[in-house]
Every structure is written in C-alpha cells, then in structure tokens.
Amino acid sequence: MSHHIIDVKNLKHTYADGTAALRDVSFRITHGESVAIIGANGAGKSTLLMHLNGYLAPTSGEIRIGDFPLTKSTLPEIRRTVGMVFQDPDDQLFMPTVHDDVAFGPFNLGLPGEEVEQRVNEALEQVGAAHLADKPPYHLSGGEKKRVAIATVLSMTPDILVMDEPTSGLDPYARRRLISLLRDFRHTKIFTSHDLDMVMDLCERSIVLHEGKVRADGPTMEIFRDEILLAECRLEKPLSMQGCPVCGRGRCRS
Amino acid sequence: MGIDESFRGLRLLDQLAFGETAVHRLDPRAKVLVTLIYVVTVISFGKYDLSALIPFFIFPAVMISVGKLPAGFVTRKILLLSPFVLMVGIFNPIFDRETLVRIGPIGISGGWISCTSIVVRTMLTLGAALILVGVTGLPAICSALEKMGMPRVLAVQILFLYRYLFVLAEESGRVSKAREMRSFGRRGLGMQTFSSLVGHLLLRTWQRAERVHMAMLARGFNGEFHTRKEFDFGLRDLLFLFGWTALFISLRFWNLSQFLGDLLTGIFS
Amino acid sequence: MHMADALLSPAVGGTMWAVSAGMIAYSSAKIRTGLDEKKVPLMGVLGAFLFAAQMINFTIPATGSSGHLGGGLLLAILLGPHAAFLTIASVLIVQAMFFADGGLLALGCNIFNMGFVTAYLVYPLVYRKILGRDPNQGRMALAIMVSAIVGLQLGPFGVVLETHFSGISELPFKTFLLLMQPIHLPIGIVEGLVTLAVVSFVYKARPEILQAALDAHPIGLHPVRNVLLSFLAAAIVTGGIVSWYASENPDGLEWAIARVTGKDDLQEPGKGVYSMMAAIQQSTAFLPDYSFRKTASGERPEIIKQNPASGKVGTSISGILGALITLVIVFVTGFVLRRRPAT
C-alpha cells in the first residue's frame, strides 16, 4: 500500500514572473492520513497542490508519490493515483452531462465500456448523486456540483484524494453533508481550507504554510492552541474553539 | 435585450429539451433532417408565393403541441423579427410597385406581397430552429450532426461553448450589474470602462480555461472525448422523417390554401 | 450583421453551406494535427466569453447610441486563424439555434461572412501583414484598426452579394451596396477601437498571452497560399453555380428534383402526378409565379413568368380565404394535439 505515500522534499517553485511561491517545503504523508494544509491567502497552498499531480513542475526539490518520483514518464500513473478535486466545480465539470463527466476519467484510462458504466454508477452512488446522472452540470446546486466533482475523481479509484477548499461556497447543510461524506472515505486525504472548523472535524494533522515555507507541521489540536503561531500566520482559532460570545465559556474539545 | 432577459430565454429553451414527449424521444438525426428539409422547402418558394407558405405553419403547430413547448414563448421569440430582415424587406414595396392582386377596388403591389412573404419565411424558418432546439437540446443536436459528418473538433467546441455559456453569462451579468449600479445616468458606460471590464472578463475567462485544462489533465485527458449517447434510428424515426418530408414536398407543389379557397368560393358562387 | 434565411434562395444558401462545411473540415483537420490540446478548453471557453461580452453594451462616443463587441478579430488575434474560425463558427451555430439570429440555412453565409473573412482573409492578409515580423505597439494598433474596418466592409459585402443572388429582396444591387457599406464604416471603426482597447488591456496584464499567439503561428506563406487557393476554388464554384442557377432556374428545389430523377422533363405530358400537380398549380396559382409549362417543342419545361395581369380577382380572393382557413386548421390541429393526454 505504499501507493498512498506522498513525500515532498525541499520543494521550491518560482513562477515565470519571478514570484517565489514555494521557498522550501518538505513533508511526508503516509497511508490513510488526513492532512490539512492551511495558511493565509498567498501562502502557497494552491501552488503546492498543483505540484501534487504534476500540473506544475518543481523549480527545485523532489516529489515522490508512492514508489514513483514525479517525472514526465510517471505522470499518467500519478494522475490516476492522486485524485484532484478543484475549488470551483464549474472548472471540473465540463462535459454535457453528469454521467459523461464521471465517465471522462475512466474512459481516458482506456477501460472498456461496461467497466466504465460500473465505475460511474459506483462513484455516483458513493456521493449520493445517482439520480443526477443525466442532468447537465449547470442544472445542479452548489452542493450537488461539489459531490459530483468528487465522483468524477472517485471513478478513477485514486489512492490519494486532494481537495482544494472543499467547503467553500456551500450552505451550512450542504457543508455538513460533505464533511460527513469525506469522513467516510478511507483514502489518504489532503485538504486546503480556510474552514478551520472543518479541518478540526476531519484532519488529525495540519501543515501550516507561511510565505512559501512550512511554518508548523503537527497534530491539528496542538496547532490551533498555539495562538502566537496562528497570529503570525494570519490565522485564527476555529470558531468552535473560541469562547462563547454570550457566556464567555469555551467549548474546547481535546 | 438585457443580459438577464436573453439569459433567461436561453435557460428556458435549454430546460425544454428535458421534456419527456414522443417528439423528444425521437432520434435527434431524424429531427435535424426534418428541420433542414423544412427550411429548404420553405425557402424554395418564389418570392411572390404567400398563400402556399401558409400551410407550412402546420409543422411548428404540431411540434409545439406534441412536444409540449410553451407556444407563447416560441411565438414571442419569433416575432422579435430581425431588424435587418425588416429593413431589407421594407424596400420591396418601394421598388416593386406593380399591382399583382386586385381585391375589389384595392390593388396590392408585388412588393407588399414579397415583403409579407419575407416576414412569413422569417417566422417559419426561425421557428423551426427554435423548435428543433426545444425538442432536442443542443448536446443531442451536436452528436447527431457529428454522426452525420460534422468534425469532432467542432462538436467538442460547441459543447464546451455551451457548457461555459451558462457560467460566463452569469459572470458578465454580475459585472455589468455592478457597473450599472455605479454609473449614474450614462456616465461610466463609455468605451474606457467597457474595455477594462471586458478585458477583466477576458482574463478571468483565460484563467478559467487554464483551470479547466488542468482538471482535464488531472483525469488523464489525452485529446479524446467519449460520450455515452447512442441512438438507434428506429421505425418511429423513419416514419417521422418520411411522413414530414412527404407532406412538405406535397405542400410544395400543391397549394393547399388555394385549394381550400377555391372549394369555399366554389360553394358560395 | 447576420444574413437571414428569409432573404436566401436554396441555391445560394446551399452553396454557402457547402463552402463553409468545407472550411470547417479544413480548419478541423489543421487543429487536429497542429495544435496543443490546451486549446480545446480555451476555444470553448472563449466562445462562451464572446457571448457574454456581446451582452455588455457600451456608449458609442459622440452618438449616444450603444454598441457591443463583435469579437471575431479579437478571437483571431488571441487564437490564430484555425482555432478562431472554428470558435466563430460555433458561436454562430449557437446563436442561430438559441437566439434566432439568421436561421439554419443562413448559417453557411454567416460562417463565411464573419468567420472565413475574419480568420482566413483579414487575419493573415491584413493583420499579420501590417504587424510584420517585428511587431510593436504602434503597428499593432494600426493593424487592428485596419483589420476591423476591412473585415466589416467585406462581411456586409458578402451579405449584399448573397442577398442579391438570392433574388428575394427587390433592393437593387447598387442601392443595397450604398446602404450597407457606409453604415459599416463607423461600425468597423468602433469595433477596431474596442478590440484595440481590449487587446491593450490584455497586453498590459498578461503579455505572454499575446506573445504566445504571435509565436504559435509563424505566418509562412504556405498555409496562406493554401487557404487562398481553396478560397479561389470555392469562389469560382460558388460564382459558377450561383450565376448559372440565377439565369437558368430560380427555383432550386425543382432543379434538385429534376437532378434526382435524372430527367429534365419529369413526366410525359398529360399523364402522371407531376403534370397533374403542374396543372393544378397553373390553374390555381394565387400569385403569378414561376410555373412549368411545356414548350411547343416539348423538349424541356420552360420557366415562364406569368403575366401579372392575368391574375383573376376571383382567384385572389379564394387564395386569401384559403390561407385564412388553413391558418384556422393549423391552429385547431395544434390545439387538439395539445389537449391530448400525454403520450
């Protein structure tokens, strides 16, 4: 099961216009972990994610996914292993119907038609969206879009799920539903998010990025208790850890 | 037409294609072919033919009814005649003043007849296009055209355009609303604001294209597109195709209006 | 300026369809072979962008009226000729279906007037030529202005030609030309200004986009010559067919039927469905029209324009009555079908 391991060593990335988005990032994520990558806007989260499935190439440093170093020749295998869910589902759902969209990945893997059908049904079933199969993406609600976007990735049976801001733009009910859906996944999971309550719900470990570097890496609860660290990185405690504004009592879990 | 208005029309038309009627279930190829034959037949009439065109209203009437399309909506859409066609048509009465028909003391010139004929043609041909979309839907039309020989690249292109039309129409609706709210009277609607607004929209669109491409690559895109839609051209489709075609050709050579009129005047005279 | 079905004859519409279909096949082949797949979503999304941008109006300086972006030239500048041609074609197809712009048969004309003219004539022969090998901002501004104006003269010229050859409009060729061309001069200037402004904006924000567009299509003589040759061939075929049609037979469908049956005279005189229908048509024609009548020699049907004066009063009244009855029947049929329980 070494497929599920992500190893990032001294990753640096400088954009063509000279912006150094990642200065020195190293971490190792092992099988079955659920990890949040948090940090202020511009800390380098999105740039980091784009490296994990090879859309951006490192300026220097190394990334290993499972047994493979990330190179041009291992790219197809790595893209199957790492399922990437984008922040805006409108970017991810580009086919005429939900069904075609979920089938897009399996078809590209070269699977036969029956197998594709089976995977589409399973993936849609898993996210509770089987009834949406024949709809076009623009007829879906925000929460439905998000779940279908996840299904488009699940149908490729990835070992690692990478999600950029999974709860952004969702109403409270859709958010809650998504969180419980994600909790049930047995994959190795990596999230970026500003929704720190969700992070607390889902991730036992957090990596804090600050100005392109790993500022902290450890158990989520410890990080959220470190007020100095949070302030430095322009973050705040999750609301559920802050004192109640009415009675002043904290509701801190540990 | 405001953004919201034309966008609503687009959405409504798009929704119609999800109807569950006998016409909706037909093979899209049959519907595309019948529509094309219909349009060519209508266009093929001489410019003074008017009465012979009238029976051709039967096609939109039947399709609207059986396909359960909102008749009011389709009619309104068709009646928004293109100003260009009207502009050109209105010259016919000016240049063609020869009296062709006389009803009692009133003489009607050929120009007025051909002008009316142009208006009727516009309604029939544009109506046919709208109805085709309403009972078929753009994606199905696209795959039908592809099966009939349209290059895949164009089919994919149209589908992409259509998919993001909804996203971008909303986006441009938002930016222009934001602009209107802050441009009092007409100031701020000038070209300078316009170009920076459209420029921003363009850049955001470009970034979106990059993200979509990224999402495609992430799922192993290698230049090929697969869709599930398989149709089989059955007996119903064949009947639909030949039935309408036969009717169109008969009506092309046999003026039903004239026949009925003769019958009626014959009875009374 | 969209050409419309209602002004077209089947001959002109069909020919332009064939020409545009050929160009679509050509550009599709070009794109399949020579394009990075990154352009696939880009073309689609930019097509949608064009729609969105056309929905935003601006005030035209000094006139107070409002206009919107045409955008064909902008697409050509951003995407290069082949991708731009297909994108413009896709925009026109969706417009024809959803916004009742022009119609399905007129699509051929519209794709030619706006897509072909912009992407395969104006872009390589005007824009790139003025831009030269060493583009700078001044050259680019000049190239955009001239291209927009030329494009918006050629496009309407196409409309005039197509309308003229179709013969549905009575507008004399010269009058129509004198109406259309001057109107489109300011429209072209405004289009040029707007395109220039948007391109400059993009150039300031993301110069690499324009740079990539310039580098990706080194304008060798080869593709241009091919395009020109195919255009010439298309023009000759079009011109030939259209003029032959226009002189020989103004009615394309009858011609097509004659071709399909393989005979010039469809039936022996006096028997068969055809002559019966011809007889009915002749005896009942509401309006003087082209109709078949056997010439004395009997070799081929000759198209004779009936003398307008021969239209009888009785016939015309019955024609109008008949049309009204037909409309009522149509309406009732629709109503009855609607009332029927769902099938």
Side-chain angles (χ1 to χ4, degrees):
Chain A
M1 285 302 218
S2 55
H3 264 350
H4 301 213
I5 292 170
I6 296 180
D7 207 352
V8 176
K9 269 188 204 140
N10 305 109
L11 178 64
K12 286 182 190 149
H13 188 89
T14 309
Y15 282 107
D17 63 355
T19 320
L22 298 176
R23 291 159 197 273
D24 184 12
V25 173
S26 302
F27 57 81
R28 182 183 167 87
I29 294 172
T30 54
H31 175 212
E33 272 193 287
S34 177
V35 180
I37 296 174
I38 54 181
N41 291 334
K45 303 187 297 287
S46 298
T47 311
L48 175 60
L49 287 199
M50 281 191 265
H51 280 83
L52 295 184
N53 76 343
Y55 188 78
L56 290 180
T59 308
S60 71
E62 197 195 6
I63 300 169
R64 292 181 76 88
I65 311 275
D67 301 325
F68 305 104
L70 206 162
T71 63
K72 223 177 170 79
S73 60
T74 58
L75 216 51
E77 177 59 22
I78 279 172
R79 285 184 174 153
R80 199 204 60 71
T81 312
V82 181
M84 182 85 108
V85 182
F86 289 73
Q87 177 174 356
D88 183 350
D90 275 329
D91 296 339
Q92 188 143 14
L93 307 175
F94 44 80
M95 297 292 276
T97 65
V98 166
H99 173 280
D100 289 345
D101 228 312
V102 180
F104 182 83
F107 265 126
N108 288 333
L109 292 177
L111 298 174
E114 285 165 35
E115 168 99 29
V116 172
E117 280 304 305
Q118 195 193 335
R119 285 202 180 190
V120 170
N121 293 338
E122 279 171 12
L124 284 175
E125 205 69 61
Q126 229 176 325
V127 299
H131 60 292
L132 303 173
D134 289 323
K135 286 204 173 186
Y138 45 83
H139 285 178
L140 306 180
S141 72
E144 288 170 338
K145 275 187 194 169
K146 208 86 190 191
R147 280 184 285 136
V148 171
I150 294 171
T152 65
V153 167
L154 290 181
S155 64
M156 298 179 72
T157 60
D159 301 310
I160 301 162
L161 266 184
V162 178
M163 300 187 72
D164 195 3
E165 294 283 354
T167 54
S168 77
L170 297 187
D171 61 43
Y173 173 77
R175 172 180 173 275
R176 185 49 60 198
R177 236 186 121 177
L178 184 79
I179 289 176
S180 57
L181 173 71
L182 294 177
R183 191 181 288 124
D184 290 340
F185 287 159
R186 293 280 142 250
H187 308 74
T188 301
K189 285 169 279 191
I190 300 175
F191 305 106
T192 70
S193 190
H194 291 304
D195 180 354
L196 299 182
D197 288 282
M198 178 211 79
V199 168
M200 217 164 67
D201 264 7
L202 288 179
C203 308
E204 57 270 25
R205 175 179 164 196
S206 291
I207 297 172
V208 182
L209 285 188
H210 184 57
E211 290 172 356
K213 288 183 181 165
V214 175
R215 177 70 178 72
D217 180 354
T220 303
M221 289 314 294
E222 267 174 39
I223 286 173
F224 284 162
R225 283 210 199 88
D226 188 342
E227 298 198 13
I228 298 165
L229 170 77
L230 291 179
E232 263 179 32
C233 300
R234 293 171 54 198
L235 294 170
E236 272 182 7
K237 273 185 182 179
L239 289 175
S240 54
M241 279 177 73
Q242 292 176 15
C244 167
V246 180
C247 66
R249 261 190 307 181
R251 195 174 70 81
C252 181
R253 293 175 287 176
S254 58
Chain B
M1 219 189 304
I3 293 181
D4 285 343
E5 200 182 326
S6 51
F7 185 47
R8 250 199 308 278
L10 176 73
R11 257 183 192 279
L12 180 60
L13 207 49
D14 176 71
Q15 296 271 7
L16 292 179
F18 289 86
E20 287 282 340
T21 71
V23 216
H24 282 89
R25 281 192 290 272
L26 288 168
D27 188 310
R29 279 171 292 184
K31 289 181 268 188
V32 168
L33 279 176
V34 164
T35 308
L36 287 179
I37 293 169
Y38 176 77
V39 170
V40 173
T41 317
V42 166
I43 297 303
S44 76
F45 279 97
K47 66 179 163 193
Y48 295 122
D49 279 325
L50 187 54
S51 68
L53 279 174
I54 303 299
F56 280 83
F57 276 106
I58 191 71
F59 177 64
V62 169
M63 294 294 275
I64 287 174
S65 309
V66 180
K68 295 204 165 37
L69 304 179
F73 170 74
V74 178
T75 318
R76 262 199 312 281
K77 273 253 176 187
I78 299 168
L79 286 180
L80 283 173
L81 289 175
S82 135
F84 170 64
V85 176
L86 278 184
M87 191 272 279
V88 173
I90 207 70
F91 278 99
N92 279 11
I94 297 174
F95 286 100
D96 183 0
R97 290 163 178 277
E98 197 177 354
T99 304
L100 275 191
V101 180
R102 208 161 262 295
I103 305 170
I106 310 160
I108 302 173
S109 73
W112 279 112
I113 287 165
S114 57
C115 176
T116 316
S117 173
I118 287 177
V119 171
V120 171
R121 281 155 200 263
T122 309
M123 296 199 288
L124 293 176
T125 51
L126 297 188
L130 285 176
I131 287 166
L132 174 66
V133 175
V135 298
T136 316
L138 192 79
I141 294 176
C142 232
S143 39
L145 288 175
E146 199 193 327
K147 286 214 167 68
M148 289 155 65
M150 183 168 81
R152 174 124 247 205
V153 183
L154 184 60
V156 168
Q157 161 65 19
I158 295 173
L159 290 178
F160 254 103
L161 186 162
Y162 191 61
R163 166 69 183 91
Y164 285 99
L165 193 51
F166 292 89
V167 178
L168 284 177
E170 262 170 26
E171 209 164 305
S172 89
R174 281 197 301 270
V175 288
S176 50
K177 216 170 279 163
R179 177 182 65 155
E180 271 158 38
M181 281 174 177
R182 285 180 292 156
S183 53
F184 304 96
R186 295 197 71 80
R187 292 168 79 188
L189 295 171
M191 253 163 40
Q192 190 129 37
T193 338
F194 172 84
S195 59
S196 110
L197 190 139
V198 169
H200 273 294
L201 195 63
L202 178 62
L203 289 183
R204 279 216 298 277
T205 307
W206 200 280
Q207 284 162 358
R208 184 179 292 280
E210 285 170 342
R211 292 196 304 269
V212 172
H213 182 236
M214 211 190 300
M216 292 166 76
L217 287 182
R219 286 189 277 151
F221 177 62
N222 48 16
E224 284 301 311
F225 278 89
H226 310 264
T227 44
R228 175 175 57 163
K229 280 268 154 57
E230 280 301 323
F231 324 105
D232 37 22
F233 204 93
L235 186 64
R236 294 161 69 95
D237 307 304
L238 210 64
L239 282 176
F240 179 79
L241 177 58
F242 281 109
W244 280 116
T245 307
L247 182 67
F248 297 156
I249 293 182
S250 331
L251 289 176
R252 174 65 185 83
F253 293 108
W254 176 61
N255 187 338
L256 176 68
S257 297
Q258 188 67 54
F259 174 75
L260 288 175
D262 285 346
L263 216 63
L264 204 71
T265 44
I267 290 167
F268 287 113
S269 64
Chain C
M1 183 67 52
H2 289 75
M3 185 63 194
D5 278 359
L7 301 177
L8 270 181
S9 72
V12 176
T15 316
M16 296 312 285
W17 244 66
V19 171
S20 288
M23 288 315 301
I24 285 172
Y26 169 79
S27 57
S28 301
K30 278 281 162 202
I31 281 189
R32 257 199 312 276
T33 50
L35 208 84
D36 54 329
E37 28 132 84
K38 198 172 177 173
K39 279 231 175 116
V40 174
L42 189 56
M43 286 163 60
V45 181
L46 280 184
F49 158 80
L50 201 57
F51 261 101
Q54 286 183 346
M55 289 174 174
I56 306 174
N57 287 320
F58 56 82
T59 313
I60 298 171
T63 63
S65 61
S66 66
H68 66 75
L69 180 71
L73 180 61
L74 181 65
L75 286 184
I77 294 171
L78 293 172
L79 289 170
H82 308 303
F85 176 74
L86 277 188
T87 310
I88 297 170
S90 68
V91 169
L92 290 169
I93 289 170
V94 175
Q95 274 177 345
M97 292 191 185
F98 282 85
F99 297 94
D101 276 341
L104 299 178
L105 193 67
L107 257 179
C109 298
N110 287 324
I111 291 176
F112 186 89
N113 298 344
M114 292 185 240
F116 181 86
V117 163
T118 311
Y120 287 123
L121 291 182
V122 172
Y123 179 77
L125 299 178
V126 180
Y127 180 77
R128 293 303 293 246
K129 287 279 184 272
I130 296 180
L131 211 54
R133 287 187 190 285
D134 181 29
N136 59 39
Q137 288 224 11
R139 279 232 188 107
M140 187 171 239
L142 182 69
I144 289 175
M145 288 308 297
V146 176
S147 304
I149 293 168
V150 171
L152 274 157
Q153 288 296 308
L154 286 180
F157 184 59
V159 173
V160 172
L161 283 181
E162 287 147 7
T163 309
H164 177 70
F165 280 122
S166 295
I168 303 291
S169 163
E170 293 287 347
L171 264 173
F173 181 71
K174 263 193 192 155
T175 317
F176 198 13
L177 206 62
L178 284 175
L179 273 173
M180 288 286 275
Q181 303 305 130
I183 285 178
H184 282 87
L185 192 64
I187 296 179
I189 293 172
V190 169
E191 174 76 11
L193 287 173
V194 173
T195 308
L196 179 60
V198 174
V199 169
S200 315
F201 184 91
V202 173
Y203 188 76
K204 269 184 217 130
R206 285 187 67 179
E208 78 275 10
I209 288 179
L210 289 172
Q211 201 51 52
L214 283 177
D215 296 340
H217 308 276
I219 200 77
L221 278 174
H222 202 59
V224 179
R225 199 181 54 208
N226 281 353
V227 167
L228 271 186
L229 281 179
S230 51
F231 171 65
L232 203 66
I236 290 168
V237 172
T238 316
I241 292 179
V242 167
S243 52
W244 181 69
Y245 253 126
S247 60
E248 281 285 309
N249 191 338
D251 191 338
L253 191 77
E254 273 142 313
W255 177 79
I257 286 175
R259 278 295 295 267
V260 169
T261 55
K263 284 178 245 169
D264 263 355
D265 43 348
L266 289 166
Q267 291 284 341
E268 287 297 306
K271 60 176 182 181
V273 184
Y274 180 76
S275 56
M276 195 181 82
M277 288 202 298
I280 292 172
Q281 192 191 22
Q282 236 176 51
S283 59
T284 60
F286 165 29
L287 298 164
D289 184 19
Y290 303 108
S291 58
F292 284 92
R293 187 184 286 163
K294 284 281 165 192
T295 50
S297 61
E299 277 307 304
R300 48 174 288 149
E302 192 185 333
I303 292 90
I304 298 169
K305 189 160 188 203
Q306 288 184 341
N307 179 7
S310 73
K312 275 181 247 142
V313 180
T315 337
S316 53
I317 289 175
S318 74
I320 292 167
L321 259 177
L324 287 176
I325 299 166
T326 316
L327 268 181
V328 170
I329 295 175
V330 164
F331 182 75
V332 170
T333 314
F335 189 71
V336 168
L337 284 171
R338 204 172 188 77
R339 275 297 156 102
R340 220 173 44 164
T343 44

